[in-house]
Amino acid sequence: VQLVESGGGLVPAGGSLTLACAASGFAYDEYAIAWFRQAPGKEREPISCVASIDGTTDYGASAKGRFTTTIDKAKKTAYLQISGLQPEDTAIYYCAADGGLYYCDFAIYRDFSSWGRGIQVTVSS
C-alpha cells in the first residue's frame, strides 16, 4: 500500500486547511485510512479515521470539534479538514491505512501497517 499526503503548508492562526491522502495498492476492496500527527517534542497522536465500507469515522481526543475526515472511495483518497487552526496544531501530519479494515475505533486499533511520509502543517500566530 502506498500513501501520499498533500495539502500542507503555512497557515495563519484561525485559518483552515484540507489535507489529502491518496492511497493505492490495497489488496482488499475495503479499507480504512487514518490521520495522525506528531508535534515537535511530543508523541504521535491519532487524529481521525474513516472506513471506506460505510464512511464511518472516529476521532482522537484532541481532534474533536475542529477536524472532519471524509473519503472519496472512487479516488481512494481520504481528506482531513481542519478549521480554526491554532499554533498548537503545528505538526507533521501522517496518513496511515490498512486494507481489509471495516471499522475505525482508536480505542481498539491504531497499529496501522502502512504509513505515508508525512506532511508539515505550520500555523503562524
Side-chain angles (χ1 to χ4, degrees), residues 6-74:
S6 62
L10 177 64
V11 185
S16 300
L17 194 67
T18 298
L19 303 178
C21 174
S24 62
F26 287 118
Y28 301 88
D29 290 337
E30 306 298 343
Y31 49 90
I33 298 177
W35 288 95
F36 292 75
R37 72 181 181 186
Q38 187 165 20
K42 295 187 176 181
E43 293 187 357
R44 187 174 63 195
E45 61 177 343
I47 298 299
S48 70
C49 178
V50 59
S52 70
I53 192 168
D54 57 6
T56 56
T57 58
D58 190 30
Y59 291 90
S62 62
K64 294 176 180 174
R66 297 185 295 112
F67 295 75
T68 302
T69 192
T70 57
I71 192 165
D72 184 329
K73 193 172 177 179

Side-chain angles (χ1 to χ4, degrees), residues 71-94:
I71 192 165
D72 184 329
K73 193 172 177 179
K75 295 182 179 179
K76 289 188 172 62
T77 298
Y79 301 93
L80 179 67
Q81 296 173 279
I82 314 171
S83 61
L85 281 157
Q86 299 300 316
E88 51 265 34
D89 293 317
T90 294
I92 298 175
Y93 285 72
Y94 298 90

